[in-house]
């Protein structure tokens, strides 16, 4: 089961306080992005070590609710780390760290970085809040240490240094390079209401399709070679056992029929993707 993390436009420089019943008014239509399992790289790029704050786990729900009572019973006064920064500082860091990050991500992802910066400028503020309550571990799982190491690594960019080789930022970039052919916008920045733009989604969807087509062609070539070898082996074996050419003809016919059926099926799958019938993966932001 995946964990959901949220980047919110916030009115105050802190998490809502469940003990004061602040969650009920928190979701007022302000901009929110959603990500899965771990904060995306572009979220991290807005923060530094001084933005790391703790909140009580029980206060992720409003007092007076069954959920708050359950959390209080389970966790008591245990806390979890989250991040919050004012919008102006977030934008300043995004601009300052742009070159150091886009040079590693690849020039083709610079437009994504720039549009994300424009999104923070237009739809977030006065504060940017990274809600990490889904990662709450009561201090037992080392989440705070991971946060501190990631932020310290990013701060190297602020003084003109590269991020540490094999460090936390390297890990985030390596994960992105491995999975960027799936959904680079989701991996780098999350999704939300109006984000990404249609143009941005289409731009990087085309990249994903090209990668998928290339992989399909490579698989087809490998399959073709395998079946070719099988034809030769089966033909030699049939002739050696029977001394007749007819088993060779039958074996060749069977293999040819399998290859043609596979070709027709792949053509149908590609046609389904082009006409939209192949399905579309949709990720909804939290209401």
């Amino acid at each position: 089961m995946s964990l959901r993390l949220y980047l919110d436009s916030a009115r105050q420089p802190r998490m809502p306080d469940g003990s004061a019943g602040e969650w009920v008014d928190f979701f007022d239509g302000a901009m929110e992005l959603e990500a899965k399992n771990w904060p995306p790289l572009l979220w991290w790029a807005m923060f530094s070590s001084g933005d790391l704050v703790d909140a009580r786990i029980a206060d992720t729900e409003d007092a007076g609710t069954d959920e708050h009572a359950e959390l209080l019973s389970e966790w008591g006064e245990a806390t979890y780390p989250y991040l919050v920064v004012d919008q102006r500082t977030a934008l300043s860091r995004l601009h300052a760290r742009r070159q150091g990050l886009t040079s590693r991500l690849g020039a083709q992802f610079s437009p994504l970085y720039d549009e994300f910066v424009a999104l923070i400028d237009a739809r977030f503020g006065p504060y940017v809040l990274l809600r990490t309550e889904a990662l709450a571990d009561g201090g037992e799982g080392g989440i705070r240490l991971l946060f501190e190491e990631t932020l310290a690594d990013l701060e190297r960019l602020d003084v003109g240094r590269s991020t540490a080789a094999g460090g936390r930022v390297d890990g985030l970039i390596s994960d992105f390079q491995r999975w960027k052919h799936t959904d680079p916008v989701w991996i780098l920045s999350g999704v939300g209401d109006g984000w990404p733009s249609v143009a941005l989604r289409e731009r990087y969807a085309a990249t994903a399709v090209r990668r998928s087509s290339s992989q399909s062609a490579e698989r087809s070539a490998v399959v073709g070679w395998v079946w070719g070898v099988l034809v030769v082996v089966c033909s030699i074996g049939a002739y050696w056992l029977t001394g007749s050419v007819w088993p060779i003809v039958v074996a060749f016919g069977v293999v040819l029929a399998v290859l043609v059926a596979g070709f027709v099926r792949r053509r149908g799958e590609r046609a389904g993707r082009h006409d939209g019938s192949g399905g579309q993966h949709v990720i909804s932001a939290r209401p």
Side-chain angles (χ1 to χ4, degrees), residues 23 34 130 225 227 230 235 239 270 272 276:
W23 282 104
E34 175 185 353
L130 201 173
W225 277 104
W227 279 109
L230 285 176
S235 298
Y239 184 77
R270 285 197 294 269

Side-chain angles (χ1 to χ4, degrees), residues 244-264:
S244 171
V245 298
W246 284 110
I248 298 176
V249 173
V250 172
F252 181 80
V254 170
V255 172
L256 180 62
V258 171
L259 288 174
V260 170
F263 174 77
V264 171

Side-chain angles (χ1 to χ4, degrees), residues 7 33-35 38-46 94 101-102 104-106 108-113 116 172-173 175-177 179-180 183-191 195 204:
L7 188 74
L33 296 180
E34 175 185 353
W38 195 250
L41 179 59
L42 297 193
W43 293 15
W44 284 111
M46 293 182 285
L94 284 168
L101 294 175
T102 57
R104 301 280 306 283
L105 296 171
Q108 68 270 38
F109 297 107
S110 293
L112 168 54
Y113 191 102
F116 179 79
L172 289 169
I173 292 174
D175 287 344
F176 171 71
Q177 297 293 354
W179 298 106
K180 65 184 179 183
D183 190 340
V185 180
W186 166 263
I187 297 170
L188 275 181
S189 66
V191 295
W195 176 262
Y204 293 110

Side-chain angles (χ1 to χ4, degrees), residues 9 11 25-32 123 193 287:
S9 175
R11 296 185 297 271
D25 295 322
F26 180 73
F27 302 105
D28 59 356
M31 185 61 189
E32 179 178 81
R123 301 190 61 186
D193 181 24

Side-chain angles (χ1 to χ4, degrees), residues 119-176:
L119 175 74
I120 299 300
D121 189 19
R123 301 190 61 186
F124 282 77
Y127 299 97
V128 181
L129 172 67
L130 201 173
R131 291 171 42 215
T132 58
E133 60 264 35
L135 301 175
D137 62 3
E140 299 176 356
I143 294 297
R144 170 174 267 278
L145 178 60
L146 294 176
F147 278 29
E148 291 172 346
E149 291 175 347
T150 303
L151 296 168
D153 203 8
L154 280 164
E155 288 167 357
R156 294 167 63 97
L157 297 174
D158 300 337
V159 293
R161 301 171 63 191
S162 299
T163 56
R168 296 298 173 190
V169 174
D170 263 15
L172 289 169
I173 292 174
S174 295
D175 287 344
F176 171 71

